[in-house]
Amino acid sequence: MASPLDPHAAVVTEAGGLPPEAPARDAQAARAAGLTTADGKPLKRALARASRRSRRRAFLLVLPLLAFIVITFVIPIGQMLHRSVHNDGFSANMPQIGAWFAQTEPGTAPDEAAFAALAEDLRLAAEERTIGIVGTRINYEMSGTRSLFTSTGRKVRNGLEPPYREALLALDKGWGDPALWTAMRTSSTAYTDSFYLASLDRTRDDQGRITQVNENHRVYIMLFMRTLWLSALVTFTTFLLGFPVAHLLATLPLRRSNLLMILVLLPFWTSLLVRTTSWMVLLQQQGVVNDMLIWLGIISADGRLKMMYNQTGTIIAMTHILLPFMILPLYSVMRTINPAYVRAARSLGATSWTAFRRIYFPQTLPGLGAGALLVFILAVGYYITPALVGGASGQLISNMIAEHMTRTLNWSMAAALAAILLAGVLILYWVYDRLVGIDNLKLG
Amino acid sequence: MKKTLILTSALCSMGLTVQAQEVNLLSWGGAYGRSHAEAYAKPFTAETGIPVNIADADNPATPIKAMVEAGNVTADVASVEYADAVRLCDEGLLETLDAEALTAADDGTAAADDYIEGGVTDCFVATDVYSMVQVYDDSKFADAKPTGPADFFDLEKFPGKRTMRKGAKFNLEFALMADGVPASEVYDTLATPEGVDRAFDKLDSIKGDVVWWEAGAQPPQLLADGEVTMAYAFNGRIFDAAMKDNKPFKIVWDGQIYEMEGWVIPRGAPHMEEAIKFIAFSTAPKNQARAAEFISYGPPRKSAAAIVGNIEGSDQPMGPHLPTTEANMTNALGSDLDFWVDHDSELNERFNAWLAG
């Protein structure tokens, strides 16, 4: 505390100008305290209490929804994100070799101590039947190693005699492979970036540097690009096809537009699988469309078009299935556009194209933005339709996620791929917000 | 006093319902699931009075992993492929099974000795042997008929599209056999990088004419639509379509790849005792043979294979249609599961990259 004799204290007090203002504020407070409610309580406190009570009531009303969102949405997504970086299959079951890795630098050649730790860990894991988990985890990093763990595990269940290095190498030469030790080091922490690296066609080499995987195995980046490109294309085609339809719906007399609306909604209410299989009936080489074209003489009998089991099939079927998601927001916005604006533009000398371009179209943007965002985000996550009509070249990244979820049971990999997809969608959402503004979004 | 009585008896009966005897079976649906219901579940309930509740999954191995990891196991017995059983067992997601509990053969042979090799492991008891076979549409080839894997890859002699399962497994082995590798050397060849290249080169030769299937129901559909002339598909589904819908589908057994599937018990299953009872009952030779009358998957027990009767609802014997029948086993390849458990991810990645490229 500064004493009164301290020159600095005086400067501070003067510069801050605190003392002169303080009495004024006190007076203000006193005046406010003077206002009371009928039963004599200070007005301010009564108001605060009333608003607090109504806030609490409002919160209680939305509490079920909040709990629902947290339980069904936030927690699962959080768990998924966690799983994409967390896999303790190796670290939790091989503690001693993990400790050795923690003490040594990456690239250190394994010494006798390392082999001793490994042998002890293997023995314990084999006893507790966790050796399969350990082997599976390493197999993600380095293919073909899973049986090395399980078979060695069976043999060392009763323990090994030192020297451990020779003993393990005698069981299988594979234990001396530097790549295996790199894989074990990578897996020796529960948290790892290797699933994200693998999702981007990257891996770590013997020295721990990030490198591209062998050309024969690069697939994910290409699939991400294809997913984005196909989704953008589908969004564009739904716009091309949906815009005139939405315009018709909005301008036709009510009775006829209702009929048209049913034509839009009926397929919308039909099961996704039914619509996809109907496209299979139509598009296949022995299918309705090809037969019709041959009957009309447009193509010859041996020149049947390939419209399915390739990208063309995916684009056609997805465009059809996602079309209502473009038409409905556009329609809801177009209906509210006052036709007087276009008429005014025409009366002031604009051609119909100019009137459309400068007056009508900008007013449809909120609907178009909503439709495009809906269609794009749905398209990015599609997997049933590409799986059925996509063939080899029409597969999307979601098909790979499904494969890792259901077939290879590598959930960490599926989570990493899904997280990257999620991040991509969020970035696009952000870009959209910057360019168009999310406030302009209008769904109905 | 009366109140207390009512209350305690109510509590007791609640306790009883929790403890009730039942078996929750996780199966595959379709013709295969029907064979489980008709040949195993119904007779089991009739004999023991224990109800069997059947639920279907695309692949029961997936829900098992989810159930055990979440600590909420509702299935007592599940039907899974051998490879999945090995994997789940090694990861500690299954209960171990005691081969002693299984029903012995009628002549007194212990169950474990009655099975074909690998039919009973720590966590797994085989129920049937299915196989991937080459199929052709008889009406499309008037003169020469395909006789082996090489013909599948011969687009000039046998024109038309083919359909194959989307994935590396089965296709790489089949491609090598078509390239002249005998069944006994297929996996040794595939273990080398040159062998893998050779298989992919062979697949490359028909890549443009292959429709890839994912669900077992697709190949018969594609054949029936005339979209493809040949398929490499599960024998049971093809048989089902050929039988029921009278389709001219012919199976070429040369180059078949067979594999087992069977029962496992998820770790922490709520009705262990009944589950073991059910497994012992359903894998008894009589019942295993009965299941083969519903779908053309062969019994893995030698004593069961001998007593398979007629195709359900007809007077034709099922025997000649089973993959395990002696005549069908020439140049047949037993799927090497250790190989696939090890190389599954690597070869599938390569396959996916090859497919997409």
Side-chain angles (χ1 to χ4, degrees):
Chain A
M1 197 66 212
S3 73
L5 290 174
D6 188 350
H8 295 288
V11 173
V12 168
T13 316
E14 246 169 75
L18 280 174
E21 218 189 40
R25 235 191 308 155
D26 285 349
Q28 223 172 8
R31 269 202 303 279
L35 290 176
T36 55
T37 55
D39 53 355
K41 286 176 190 148
L43 180 64
K44 218 176 184 181
R45 208 184 309 155
L47 264 175
R49 185 181 299 156
S51 72
R52 203 162 47 233
R53 204 181 301 136
S54 67
R55 265 207 305 274
R56 201 181 305 136
R57 199 181 304 138
F59 180 72
L60 282 175
L61 280 174
V62 297
L63 194 63
L65 176 66
L66 196 67
F68 180 77
I69 289 177
V70 167
I71 291 168
T72 62
F73 197 68
V74 178
I75 293 178
I77 288 185
Q79 277 181 335
M80 181 200 80
L81 291 175
H82 183 246
R83 203 182 264 277
S84 68
V85 291
H86 180 266
N87 190 322
D88 60 359
F90 185 85
S91 56
N93 300 310
M94 306 282 276
Q96 306 196 27
I97 189 72
W100 185 82
F101 281 127
Q103 284 160 13
T104 53
E105 288 291 310
T108 313
D111 53 11
E112 178 62 19
F115 276 98
L118 178 64
E120 179 59 16
D121 278 339
L122 284 174
R123 189 184 64 76
L124 271 175
E127 261 175 24
E128 289 172 13
R129 301 191 71 87
T130 52
I131 192 88
I133 303 176
V134 174
T136 305
R137 175 71 187 91
I138 300 298
N139 208 55
Y140 291 156
E141 303 289 332
M142 185 183 165
S143 194
T145 50
R146 193 177 174 287
S147 63
L148 180 65
F149 280 84
T150 49
S151 67
T152 308
R154 274 192 289 275
K155 290 171 199 153
V156 301
R157 209 166 281 173
N158 304 320
L160 273 181
E161 293 293 319
Y164 292 107
R165 186 192 168 84
E166 274 77 51
L168 276 173
L169 287 178
L171 284 178
D172 197 312
K173 281 201 173 50
W175 289 110
D177 189 348
L180 174 69
W181 285 86
T182 311
M184 288 201 286
R185 182 182 287 278
T186 311
S187 321
S188 65
T189 49
Y191 287 90
T192 172
D193 58 359
S194 55
F195 295 108
Y196 280 98
L197 287 178
S199 304
L200 299 169
D201 295 336
R202 300 288 195 279
T203 185
R204 281 183 200 281
D205 65 7
D206 296 354
Q207 305 300 317
R209 285 177 306 231
I210 295 171
T211 54
Q212 278 206 310
V213 297
N214 188 321
E215 203 172 339
N216 281 336
H217 290 95
R218 284 177 208 161
V219 63
Y220 297 116
I221 287 186
M222 199 252 322
L223 279 180
F224 275 119
M225 300 316 271
R226 180 192 286 169
T227 305
L228 293 183
W229 155 242
L230 274 189
S231 303
L233 190 64
V234 167
T235 310
F236 184 68
T237 47
T238 52
F239 160 67
L240 273 190
L241 295 173
F243 197 89
V245 176
H247 183 70
L248 258 183
L249 272 172
T251 50
L252 276 180
L254 200 61
R255 191 183 308 166
R256 270 193 283 167
S257 83
N258 272 347
L259 186 73
L260 199 57
M261 188 56 125
I262 288 174
L263 292 181
V264 174
L265 288 179
L266 212 58
F268 186 56
W269 291 329
T270 313
S271 142
L272 176 75
L273 211 54
V274 171
R275 279 185 285 167
T276 305
T277 35
S278 334
W279 276 112
M280 294 169 74
V281 173
L282 290 176
L283 294 181
Q284 59 188 343
Q285 279 197 294
Q286 308 293 327
V288 181
V289 175
N290 264 314
D291 286 349
M292 190 105 88
L293 290 176
I294 290 172
W295 183 72
L296 289 172
I298 296 173
I299 55 171
S300 66
D302 47 355
R304 285 173 178 267
L305 296 178
K306 272 175 146 181
M307 290 177 290
M308 204 170 69
Y309 304 123
N310 53 26
Q311 282 193 15
T312 320
T314 304
I315 294 168
I316 293 175
M318 275 174 68
T319 301
H320 170 246
I321 287 164
L322 292 171
L323 203 51
F325 292 97
M326 180 62 89
I327 293 178
L328 295 175
L330 272 177
Y331 163 72
S332 77
V333 168
M334 284 177 178
R335 223 180 27 171
T336 61
I337 295 175
N338 192 340
Y341 295 153
V342 175
R343 279 206 295 270
R346 295 297 302 275
S347 74
L348 290 170
T351 62
S352 48
W353 168 241
T354 311
F356 171 78
R357 188 170 54 89
R358 298 191 48 188
I359 306 298
Y360 190 77
F361 186 70
Q363 295 186 79
T364 65
L365 275 181
L368 179 60
L373 210 61
L374 260 181
V375 170
F376 187 85
I377 290 177
L378 284 172
V380 160
Y382 252 54
Y383 90 99
I384 295 178
T385 307
L388 288 176
V389 301
S393 61
Q395 299 293 297
L396 303 183
I397 195 73
S398 351
N399 298 94
M400 210 49 86
I401 297 175
E403 158 136 344
H404 283 304
M405 282 305 290
T406 61
R407 238 181 48 70
T408 67
L409 301 184
N410 186 352
W411 290 0
S412 293
M413 189 70 198
L417 288 170
I420 292 177
L421 198 59
L422 181 67
V425 170
L426 287 179
I427 289 171
L428 281 169
Y429 188 80
W430 177 78
V431 168
Y432 176 86
D433 187 31
R434 293 298 299 270
L435 291 180
V436 185
I438 220 69
D439 315 337
N440 287 329
L441 203 73
K442 208 168 168 201
L443 283 170
Chain B
M1 185 62 203
K2 203 176 164 194
K3 229 179 205 169
T4 330
L5 256 177
I6 294 172
L7 204 64
T8 38
S9 56
L11 280 173
C12 281
S13 65
M14 265 170 71
L16 277 178
T17 42
V18 171
Q19 295 285 310
Q21 291 200 323
E22 58 177 3
V23 176
N24 297 305
L25 177 66
L26 204 52
S27 181
W28 295 77
Y32 184 55
R34 204 174 61 242
S35 79
H36 286 166
E38 297 291 332
Y40 302 147
K42 281 186 186 165
F44 179 71
T45 309
E47 194 173 297
T48 60
I50 301 172
V52 179
N53 312 313
I54 302 184
D56 293 335
D58 277 348
N59 177 3
T62 318
I64 289 178
K65 184 174 157 102
M67 280 179 192
V68 178
E69 285 195 0
N72 180 21
V73 180
T74 54
D76 302 305
V77 181
S79 168
V80 301
E81 290 176 27
Y82 190 92
D84 283 330
V86 171
R87 191 158 47 183
L88 293 171
C89 188
D90 278 342
E91 292 184 19
L93 298 171
L94 301 176
E95 298 281 354
T96 50
L97 287 167
D98 186 5
E100 296 289 309
L102 299 175
T103 317
D106 291 340
D107 62 1
T109 316
D113 301 327
D114 195 22
Y115 266 95
I116 59 172
E117 201 191 325
V120 185
T121 67
D122 287 356
C123 313
F124 170 87
V125 184
T127 52
D128 57 279
V129 177
Y130 66 95
S131 85
M132 285 290 275
V133 291
Q134 180 182 344
V135 189
Y136 63 91
D137 183 341
D138 200 31
S139 62
K140 291 285 160 67
F141 305 117
D143 312 321
K145 310 283 184 195
T147 54
D151 293 338
F152 193 86
F153 288 80
D154 194 338
L155 288 167
E156 275 175 25
K157 214 161 133 197
F158 301 101
K161 284 183 178 275
R162 276 85 167 117
T163 181
M164 299 174 95
R165 189 188 192 192
K166 209 180 111 211
K169 192 170 152 185
F170 299 122
N171 291 336
L172 297 183
E173 295 104 309
F174 190 53
L176 283 181
M177 285 195 275
D179 209 25
V181 180
S184 56
E185 290 167 26
V186 163
Y187 284 105
D188 292 336
T189 313
L190 210 52
T192 63
E194 298 78 38
V196 175
D197 288 342
R198 186 172 165 189
F200 274 105
D201 284 345
K202 189 71 185 172
L203 285 175
D204 233 5
S205 67
I206 55 165
K207 187 178 179 185
D209 290 276
V210 178
V211 175
W212 302 95
W213 61 265
E214 284 191 86
Q218 281 174 293
Q221 188 62 50
L222 288 163
L223 280 167
D225 286 349
E227 192 72 7
V228 301
T229 57
M230 276 203 240
Y232 198 53
F234 292 136
N235 73 303
R237 303 276 188 167
I238 297 294
F239 175 78
D240 212 48
M243 256 330 266
K244 289 219 184 81
D245 309 330
N246 251 332
K247 295 287 180 193
F249 303 160
K250 291 274 188 291
I251 290 178
V252 180
W253 288 101
D254 191 325
Q256 69 149 314
I257 302 173
Y258 61 89
E259 200 173 286
M260 279 180 282
E261 54 196 334
W263 302 132
V264 296
I265 302 179
R267 174 167 276 187
H271 307 97
M272 273 295 286
E273 216 171 291
E274 293 89 339
I276 289 169
K277 240 186 238 173
F278 175 76
I279 289 177
F281 176 86
S282 58
T283 55
K286 171 169 68 84
N287 296 310
Q288 208 169 72
R290 176 86 181 116
E293 291 164 17
F294 287 92
I295 190 160
S296 62
Y297 293 149
R301 288 184 77 148
K302 292 162 202 158
S303 62
I307 54 169
V308 176
N310 290 339
I311 299 164
E312 177 69 13
S314 85
D315 51 3
Q316 297 165 44
M318 179 60 107
H321 304 286
L322 298 177
T324 44
T325 300
E326 203 58 46
N328 297 339
M329 290 294 275
T330 39
N331 201 31
L333 175 68
S335 185
D336 183 343
L337 294 147
D338 285 332
F339 178 85
W340 278 112
V341 166
D342 259 3
H343 297 279
D344 194 47
S345 49
E346 178 196 4
L347 290 177
N348 266 314
E349 261 170 30
R350 167 114 186 234
F351 180 83
N352 287 325
W354 170 80
L355 203 57

